[in-house]
């Protein structure tokens, strides 16, 4: 028997609904696809559990063909989007997009399958992704279960954190946490790539002022996954509020911010870039805007020309 909106006590469009009996129904990001060889890109992927006690896993990607000589490849840790409450690394749209990125950039990519709210309330997603970084750090030590792809080809001096939406938010916060942290002392964080980053705030800015419907929608996303006294001015979602840690604490020397013209999150991404370049951080920041497109369009339509341009820009950033 199909459910209806009348049965729901909480609607969080377009992601999920919570029914009056407390059951959760995700209406997006639920499909899964297996890992394996992708003939279109020549990329090979596999899944690996890295924390048995919680079942946390990653999906690893690399080009199937052997790179020439002893060339080491950049390592990208990828965090998917979905407002912290939907999707996974097994999502067909993400799988296709990441195959494309790996083929374009010739990298080793590790996509972390963090646990979702509300079953696993924030900051669980951040801690799960941090656990993934700790696991990568342990690979250098070689104490246990060393991953052959990383041992043979991974360049631990060129590690990038990349994400879209909520995943970009995670990448920022982990880069802030990584500076002088012993959990992250054997690998070098070269940069972070933030695609349509999910930052927000109570007071509307830019296009949010003239689009109160979408402003309220995004307010609802955050208040659902992380209900707290500070609302959308909590430091996790609004790194620009008074008292927020200085961007000088970012543990990398270059950052790429990608925004989309029609994305309601666009002006927060631009504000992030402006705050970054005017902060005490000593690195190099770039911003790239895709005209005429909305939030994470490249995930849903990876074959369009603008998505290909986005992937090429991201690949170039990683290989600079």
């Amino acid at each position: 028997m199909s459910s209806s909106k009348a049965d729901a006590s909480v609607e969080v469009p377009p992601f999920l609904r919570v029914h009056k009996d407390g059951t959760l129904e995700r209406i997006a990001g639920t499909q899964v696809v297996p890992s394996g060889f992708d003939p279109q890109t020549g990329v090979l992927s596999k899944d690996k559990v890295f924390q048995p006690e919680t079942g946390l896993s990653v999906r690893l990607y690399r080009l199937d063909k052997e790179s020439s000589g002893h060339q080491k490849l950049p390592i990208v840790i990828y965090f998917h989007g979905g407002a912290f409450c939907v999707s996974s690394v097994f999502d067909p749209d993400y799988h296709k997009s990441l195959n494309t990125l790996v083929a374009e950039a010739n990298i080793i990519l590790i996509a972390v399958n963090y646990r979702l709210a509300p079953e696993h309330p924030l900051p669980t997603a951040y801690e799960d992704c941090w656990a993934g970084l700790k696991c990568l750090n342990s690979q250098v030590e070689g104490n246990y279960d060393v991953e052959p792809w990383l041992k043979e080809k991974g360049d631990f001096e060129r590690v990038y954190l990349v994400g879209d939406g909520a995943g970009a938010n995670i990448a920022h916060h982990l880069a802030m946490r990584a500076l002088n942290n012993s959990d992250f002392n054997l690998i070098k964080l070269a940069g972070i790539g933030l695609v349509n980053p999910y930052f927000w705030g109570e007071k509307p800015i830019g296009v949010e002022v003239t689009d109160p419907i979408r402003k309220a929608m995004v307010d609802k996303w955050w208040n659902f996954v992380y209900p707290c006294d500070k609302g959308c001015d909590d430091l996790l979602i609004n790194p620009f509020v008074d008292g927020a840690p200085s961007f000088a604490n970012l543990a990398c020397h270059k950052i790429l911010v990608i925004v989309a013209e029609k994305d309601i999150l666009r002006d927060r991404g631009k504000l992030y870039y402006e705050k970054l370049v005017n902060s005490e951080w000593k690195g190099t920041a770039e911003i790239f805007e895709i005209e005429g497109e909305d939030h994470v369009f490249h995930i849903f339509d990876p074959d369009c020309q603008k998505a290909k341009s986005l992937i090429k820009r991201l690949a170039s950033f990683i290989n600079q």
Side-chain angles (χ1 to χ4, degrees), residues 8-48:
S9 60
V10 179
E11 288 275 344
V12 189
F15 300 124
L16 52 80
R17 61 177 60 102
V18 182
H19 296 280
K20 291 178 181 178
D21 63 1
T23 59
L24 184 75
E25 178 189 4
R26 287 189 167 85
I27 52 181
T30 59
Q31 292 182 304
V32 299
V33 66
S35 57
F37 177 68
D38 178 47
Q40 290 187 323
T41 58
V43 171
L44 186 64
S45 59
K46 63 181 177 180
D47 300 326
K48 188 167 185 175

Side-chain angles (χ1 to χ4, degrees), residues 110-130:
I110 306 169
V112 181
N113 196 47
Y114 58 86
R115 289 171 291 178
L116 302 175
E119 299 96 324
H120 303 280
L122 294 180
T124 299
Y126 298 95
E127 294 304 323
D128 287 351
C129 293
W130 184 258

Side-chain angles (χ1 to χ4, degrees), residues 234-248:
D234 186 88
L235 290 176
L236 288 176
I237 195 65
N238 189 350
F240 320 117
V241 294
D242 291 342
S246 168
F247 282 15

Side-chain angles (χ1 to χ4, degrees), residues 295-316:
H295 189 68
V296 298
F297 75 96
H298 68 293
I299 300 294
F300 302 116
D301 189 12
D303 296 322
C304 74
Q305 192 56 50
K306 289 180 180 178
K308 292 177 181 178
S309 296
L310 187 156
I311 293 296
K312 285 182 180 293
R313 185 68 191 82
L314 188 53
S316 175

Side-chain angles (χ1 to χ4, degrees), residues 263-274:
D263 186 3
I264 189 66
L265 303 179
R266 179 197 67 188
D267 292 307
R268 300 288 171 171
K270 289 184 174 181
L271 178 61
Y272 180 92
Y273 171 78
E274 292 166 7

